[in-house]
Structure formats: structure tokens, C-alpha cells
């Protein structure tokens, strides 16, 4: 009896929770994968029974997908149904090997080989955190060694909801160049510009037309 209690407290397997999503917004769809890891049974496990909870004011449950070893093929079943429990919804999940192989050969003992994936739609525009939890209570697996029920340790996964993104705008080099061109000239630049203008006016007053040159030549010849 004492050993039985110690065995239950140490758990025969633990769940891991993984997802590609860490931040989601309204109308997004995301999924969370739960795998049975650290399986203590020498031959492995053949099934998982679990209970998941989430807040229906934030998320809408979309579906379940069984995560199984490749050699199981389609020889397994995975089902889920949900009920309302207070302000939360509870999903009950059952999945197990359902083929004709020797149970010892079909059993799973390695990490990240047997589990389930839950998909959700985001239905709220409010900011905050949404959490999907698989409870330790009711989390069981079937041992391939003697078909006994093994207790597991649950896991939760959280995502940020409708996180506001801050966009930093930088002035490009081209924009900076255009800004530099429109700058007002300095006082020195104005003085230089004024001197240049005076020089031009002097040059203009010293210019002679061709007609005035010809008249001067003719006058000199007549005087001779």
C-alpha cells in the first residue's frame, strides 16, 4: 500500500506542451501539442486519457489530432468531447492503439512519440493571456507490461492575446538628403552669392557690341 502511494506520487509519465504560437490575435488559429514523456514503464504505454481546460470567452475549440508513432499507421482511435464547467470548457480526450500488433511491439516508451494536438480559434479582441491546461487529475496511460493504469503529470501552455506591436520608424538616407537640400543658406553663403551677383553686373557693363567697335575704327580712319 505504501509503495503504491509512492508510485502514484512519482508519476509514471509527464506531459510536455509545445506550440509554434507564443502571441496570437483575434481570428487566428493555433494548436498546442501534448506528448507523453519520461515514461517509466519498461515496455511503454498504449493509450492516453486526459482532461483539458480552457476559457471559452477567449478561445473556441476546433479539433483534436492524434500524435502517434509512424508504425501505428491508422490503427488507433482518437476522440474528444467537451462540456461546460462553470466559466470554463472541459475537453475529455481518449486515444489508444487499436491494431493487431503484439502489444509489446506497439507500445511507446520514447519521448515525443505519443500524444495529441488541440487546435483553437481566438475569438476575443481583448489583450491578456490564454492558457490551455491538461490536468493531472484524470491523466492516465495504459501500461504495455500488464495493462495497468499509469498516472501522469499534467501541463499547461499559455499564449499572449492581441499584443500591441510598436513600430519604430527611421528616416532613410534618401529622405535625409532631401531634408539637407531644403535647408536655409547661411549668412556667409548669402554674402558670397551677393558678391558673385555684383561681378556679373560689372562684366555686363564692360561688354561692347560689334557695331560700336566698327564705328570706332571708321572714325579713326577719317581723322587720318
Amino acid at each position: 500500500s505504501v509503495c503504491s502511494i509512492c508510485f502514484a506520487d512519482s508519476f509514471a509519465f509527464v506531459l510536455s506542451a509545445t506550440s509554434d504560437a507564443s502571441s496570437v490575435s483575434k481570428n487566428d488559429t493555433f494548436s498546442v501539442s501534448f506528448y507523453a514523456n519520461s515514461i517509466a514503464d519498461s515496455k511503454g504505454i498504449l493509450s492516453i486519457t486526459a482532461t483539458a481546460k480552457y476559457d471559452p470567452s477567449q478561445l473556441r475549440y476546433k479539433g483534436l489530432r492524434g500524435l502517434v508513432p509512424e508504425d501505428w499507421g491508422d490503427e488507433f482511435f482518437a476522440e474528444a468531447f467537451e462540456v461546460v464547467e462553470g466559466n470554463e470548457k472541459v475537453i475529455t480526450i481518449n486515444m489508444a492503439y487499436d491494431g493487431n500488433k503484439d502489444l509489446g511491439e506497439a507500445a511507446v516508451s520514447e519521448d515525443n512519440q505519443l500524444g495529441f494536438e488541440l487546435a483553437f480559434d481566438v475569438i476575443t479582441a481583448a489583450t491578456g493571456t490564454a492558457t490551455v491546461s491538461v490536468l493531472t487529475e484524470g491523466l492516465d496511460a495504459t501500461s504495455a507490461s500488464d495493462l495497468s493504469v499509469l498516472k501522469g503529470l499534467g501541463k499547461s501552455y499559455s499564449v499572449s492575446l492581441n499584443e500591441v506591436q510598436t513600430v519604430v520608424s527611421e528616416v532613410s538616407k534618401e529622405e535625409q538628403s532631401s531634408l539637407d537640400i531644403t535647408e536655409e543658406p547661411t549668412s556667409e553663403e548669402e554674402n558670397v552669392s551677393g558678391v558673385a551677383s555684383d561681378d556679373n553686373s560689372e562684366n555686363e557693363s564692360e561688354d561692347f557690341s560689334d557695331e560700336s567697335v566698327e564705328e570706332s575704327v571708321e572714325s579713326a580712319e577719317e581723322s587720318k
Side-chain angles (χ1 to χ4, degrees):
S1 176
V2 173
C3 290
S4 175
I5 293 173
C6 292
F7 182 76
D9 287 345
S10 62
F11 301 108
F13 67 98
V14 296
L15 284 189
S16 67
T18 60
S19 176
D20 292 335
S22 59
S23 179
V24 292
S25 300
K26 185 178 181 180
N27 299 324
D28 285 351
T29 298
F30 73 99
S31 60
V32 183
S33 298
F34 294 91
Y35 280 101
N37 291 338
S38 302
I39 299 169
D41 188 87
S42 58
K43 288 189 177 180
I45 59 176
L46 297 163
S47 71
I48 296 177
T49 300
T51 302
K53 281 189 175 184
Y54 70 96
D55 185 346
S57 69
Q58 299 174 321
L59 308 175
R60 178 172 54 237
Y61 170 63
K62 191 172 183 180
L64 166 77
R65 184 169 72 94
L67 304 173
V68 301
E70 187 177 345
D71 61 3
W72 279 24
D74 295 328
E75 296 182 318
F76 71 96
F77 71 87
E79 61 181 9
F81 61 91
E82 63 176 355
V83 296
V84 177
E85 189 175 284
N87 293 327
E88 296 179 308
K89 277 195 173 181
V90 178
I91 307 170
T92 301
I93 301 146
N94 294 298
M95 55 175 299
Y97 177 68
D98 192 28
N100 298 317
K101 288 184 179 180
D102 177 86
L103 297 184
E105 293 179 0
V108 176
S109 58
E110 297 180 359
D111 288 352
N112 301 317
Q113 293 294 310
L114 182 60
F116 51 89
E117 180 183 80
L118 301 175
F120 297 90
D121 291 329
V122 181
I123 61 173
T124 180
T127 57
T129 301
T131 301
V132 179
S133 300
V134 174
L135 308 180
T136 296
E137 181 182 355
L139 179 60
D140 302 328
T142 302
S143 165
S145 298
D146 55 8
L147 299 182
S148 62
V149 175
L150 306 177
K151 299 297 181 182
L153 179 64
K155 188 72 173 180
S156 297
Y157 190 86
S158 297
V159 293
S160 298
L161 293 173
N162 302 296
E163 194 173 56
V164 177
Q165 299 293 330
T166 303
V167 179
V168 178
S169 177
E170 295 184 358
V171 178
S172 66
K173 292 182 178 179
E174 293 76 8
E175 291 174 330
Q176 186 60 50
S177 298
S178 66
L179 291 175
D180 293 341
I181 292 171
T182 59
E183 289 181 355
E184 294 294 329
T186 63
S187 57
E188 292 181 359
E189 290 173 339
E190 290 174 351
N191 292 337
V192 171
S193 176
V195 170
S197 176
D198 293 341
D199 290 343
N200 291 337
S201 61
E202 290 177 1
N203 291 337
E204 289 175 0
S205 63
E206 292 177 357
D207 286 341
F208 297 98
S209 64
D210 292 339
E211 292 179 358
S212 63
V213 172
E214 290 176 357
E215 290 174 359
S216 298
V217 173
E218 291 176 355
S219 299
E221 289 177 353
E222 288 177 357
S223 61
K224 289 179 181 180

